[in-house]
Amino acid sequence: EFSSVVNLPQFPGPSVVTRHNASDDPDTGTAETVERMRAAAIEDSSSIPVFFATQEALRQSGGGRVAACEAIYKWIASRVHFRSDDPVLSNLLGLDNELDLLIRPARLLTMRRPAEDCDGFTMLCCSMLLCARIPCEIVTIKADHEDPSRYSHVYCQALMEDGRALVMD
């Protein structure tokens, strides 16, 4: 594991980039990544950028947990564009054959043009739901048709008062 400070064109000011070595066991590596995502979502749920984003999203909601979840989802979907991690890892950081790039929710919101893949959307969604006091969890699935044994997608689901889960994907 190592950290360095770099200037990335998409972000204002310097960025701290930390590299973690993944476990050799794919399932363990996935669990470690999801735990990092969970920790970042929880920590950033009390950040100023996430607070203001959540407040803006909830202004569009009619009240109630489902309406709040829908408003948060729509807010994120209208502002965060999909982008694969590979070009960022390779072109900006000079890293090849890396598994994933995680951009923390509060940092994602500072991007000039916020763009991330499913893990970034998931962390931001969880962070905003937690800011709105809505419990949630991260779900990983095996969705790669070329390698069906590999966990290849992650998403957030909000937990409703009656115990049901609302998929936010």
Side-chain angles (χ1 to χ4, degrees), residues 28-78:
T28 301
T30 297
E32 292 167 353
T33 299
V34 169
E35 179 53 33
R36 283 188 189 92
M37 292 171 61
R38 188 186 73 76
I42 291 169
E43 187 174 321
D44 284 10
S45 69
S46 60
S47 72
I48 291 171
V50 170
F51 174 79
F52 282 121
T54 304
Q55 294 305 305
E56 185 178 334
L58 293 179
R59 277 195 286 265
Q60 308 301 318
S61 124
R65 191 174 286 187
V66 171
C69 292
E70 289 173 350
I72 287 170
Y73 179 86
K74 287 177 185 173
W75 190 94
I76 296 169
S78 70

Side-chain angles (χ1 to χ4, degrees), residues 4 7 14 23 26 35 41 49 63-64 66 69 73 76 78 84 89 91 103 112 114 124 128 133 137 150 158 164:
S4 59
N7 287 310
S23 170
E35 179 53 33
V66 171
C69 292
Y73 179 86
I76 296 169
S78 70
S84 174
L89 288 165
N91 298 339
I103 300 175
R112 289 182 185 94
L124 179 58
M128 290 176 71
R133 308 250 189 277
E137 59 192 8
R150 180 178 78 86
R164 290 179 303 121

Side-chain angles (χ1 to χ4, degrees), residues 5 22 24 65 75 84 88 94 102 108 112 136:
V5 177
D24 290 335
R65 191 174 286 187
W75 190 94
S84 174
V88 177
L102 301 179
L108 179 62
R112 289 182 185 94
C136 57

